[in-house]
Amino acid sequence: MSETAVLPISIVAALIPTSLYVLLIYWVDRYEKEPWWLLVATFLWGAIPSILIAFVFNSILSIPFFLFTDETTGMALAASLIAPPVEETVKGLAVLGIFLFWRDEIDSILDGIIYGAMVGMGFALVENVYYFVNVYQELGQPAWQANIFIRGVIFGLNHALFTAMTGLGIAIGRMSTSNLVKFGAPLTGWMVSMLLHFIHNATVSLGILLCGITLLADWGGVLITLIIILWAVLQERQWLRTYLVDEVSQGTLTQAQYEIAISGRRRSAHHLNLLLNFQLRKYQRSRRFFHHCSELAYKKHHHSLFADAASRQQAATLRQQLIDLG
């Protein structure tokens, strides 16, 4: 392979698994898809500003390690002690920004996980391209091929996992009525993200003897996150069943609409049927309708927790929009 082909092929090699993981993350949000523009902005924050800011601070804060130790030790210490807090703080700012400026978009703990995972995937994409090219230049094509598989497949969800913990903590704080949890959950999520990042970087830096710990921590974390996601999806489905059932008696929804609204499978089948029959306008209208159904249920749940005027008004607005659409 020629030198000029390394960069474009490395970009493609990083894009393929990243795209698959992003689609998977987007798919798990079964009932209320997050705004595409906010997901894109979150991804781009991870891919561009986060990478640049992290590079600057990683470089500056790592200087003492390289001044007082050899290069190998300095790199291991910097990767273990500097990169995790720097990178998880910078990436976590994206989710914090959503909480501060678009907090209504965080309706459940699943939303926090999704936003955190998206910023992590943006960061991973650019970082992987950098390492792919660097490994090729230093070690050649066989090492480059192995690095693509290791970083893109085996550890492809790492940055998504790390920052998902920050997002999870922020979402738990957002949904809690306890002041202790409101402040403690985001801090705990951020600390867990740094801990997982530290374990990964430290064990990788110390060599192949600890690769079992690396895999256990990384994939164990992914498994636990998947369990949390499954629980969150089931919880959201229960919210739909609980908070939309009285909308049938009020005339906001028909019984048939209610049955579709509370089932991700039925929603998908309904929308697929409209697409297969080339009813694009009905498809778009149906997507909006059932999205509003989810939003209505979530706002009613939020009002049940906080009894706030804002969520009550939002629920009333959504109810009227459903009547107009239906």
Side-chain angles (χ1 to χ4, degrees):
M1 181 171 60
S2 66
E3 291 283 346
T4 56
V6 174
L7 178 58
I9 295 178
S10 294
I11 292 174
V12 172
L15 271 173
I16 292 174
T18 298
S19 299
L20 293 175
Y21 291 138
V22 164
L23 289 174
L24 177 62
I25 293 166
Y26 185 74
W27 176 82
V28 299
D29 195 7
R30 302 289 288 150
Y31 297 108
E32 189 211 18
K33 299 294 187 185
E34 300 309 304
W36 67 267
W37 64 268
L38 195 53
L39 291 173
V40 171
T42 306
F43 182 89
L44 291 177
W45 173 268
I48 304 174
S50 289
I51 285 285
L52 297 176
I53 296 170
F55 175 78
V56 172
F57 279 93
N58 281 341
S59 300
I60 294 173
L61 297 176
S62 299
I63 290 174
F65 295 127
F66 291 101
L67 288 178
F68 298 105
T69 65
D70 60 84
E71 184 177 357
T72 301
T73 303
M75 290 181 64
L77 290 173
S80 303
L81 301 178
I82 302 300
V86 167
E87 294 176 9
E88 294 315 315
T89 299
V90 174
K91 289 188 291 174
L93 289 175
V95 190
L96 179 61
I98 293 171
F99 170 75
L100 293 176
F101 300 107
W102 297 282
R103 68 176 59 194
D104 284 343
E105 298 300 340
I106 301 179
D107 296 310
S108 70
I109 62 172
L110 180 59
D111 293 346
I113 293 174
I114 287 172
Y115 284 121
M118 289 297 285
V119 69
M121 290 312 306
F123 192 96
L125 172 65
V126 178
E127 186 182 66
N128 282 349
V129 172
Y130 167 79
Y131 277 105
F132 293 167
V133 174
N134 193 53
V135 165
Y136 182 89
Q137 292 174 342
E138 292 185 0
L139 301 174
Q141 186 166 335
W144 172 79
Q145 293 171 333
N147 193 253
I148 287 174
F149 178 73
I150 292 171
R151 293 189 65 90
V153 179
I154 296 180
F155 298 135
L157 283 169
N158 276 15
H159 277 291
L161 166 66
F162 303 153
T163 318
M165 295 299 99
T166 301
L168 174 61
I170 289 174
I172 290 174
R174 156 75 169 151
M175 302 300 296
S176 176
T177 58
S178 165
N179 288 329
L180 179 61
V181 176
K182 282 182 180 295
F183 291 98
L187 180 62
T188 301
W190 175 61
M191 293 175 66
V192 170
S193 73
M194 291 189 294
L195 176 62
L196 290 173
H197 201 153
F198 163 77
I199 293 173
H200 173 82
N201 284 11
T203 52
V204 168
S205 298
L206 291 174
I208 189 127
L209 293 177
L210 295 178
C211 65
I213 296 176
T214 309
L215 291 171
L216 180 62
D218 292 346
W219 282 101
V222 170
L223 178 60
I224 292 172
T225 304
L226 289 175
I227 293 172
I228 295 172
I229 288 172
L230 177 61
W231 175 80
V233 171
L234 293 175
Q235 182 186 59
E236 290 184 1
R237 186 174 67 179
Q238 186 58 44
W239 291 350
L240 293 171
R241 291 178 173 178
T242 301
Y243 294 108
L244 292 182
V245 66
D246 60 333
E247 299 297 331
V248 177
S249 59
Q250 294 180 34
T252 309
L253 303 176
T254 65
Q255 183 64 35
Q257 289 168 340
Y258 171 79
E259 295 294 339
I260 296 173
I262 64 174
S263 170
R265 179 181 58 80
R266 290 184 181 180
R267 284 195 196 191
S268 298
H270 176 67
H271 292 145
L272 180 61
N273 181 62
L274 292 175
L275 283 175
L276 292 177
N277 286 282
F278 302 101
Q279 296 176 300
L280 297 183
R281 286 189 177 182
K282 286 187 177 181
Y283 167 79
Q284 293 171 348
R285 191 180 184 90
S286 178
R287 296 277 296 185
R288 290 199 304 272
F289 181 88
F290 289 112
H291 182 83
H292 287 340
C293 286
S294 297
E295 286 189 317
L296 176 58
Y298 298 166
K299 296 309 176 189
K300 290 175 73 173
H301 173 69
H302 192 274
H303 186 264
S304 74
L305 293 175
F306 301 101
D308 58 317
S311 59
R312 183 174 65 248
Q313 181 57 49
Q314 289 168 337
T317 301
L318 286 164
R319 187 175 292 113
Q320 185 58 51
Q321 289 174 340
L322 284 172
I323 293 172
D324 295 339
L325 283 170

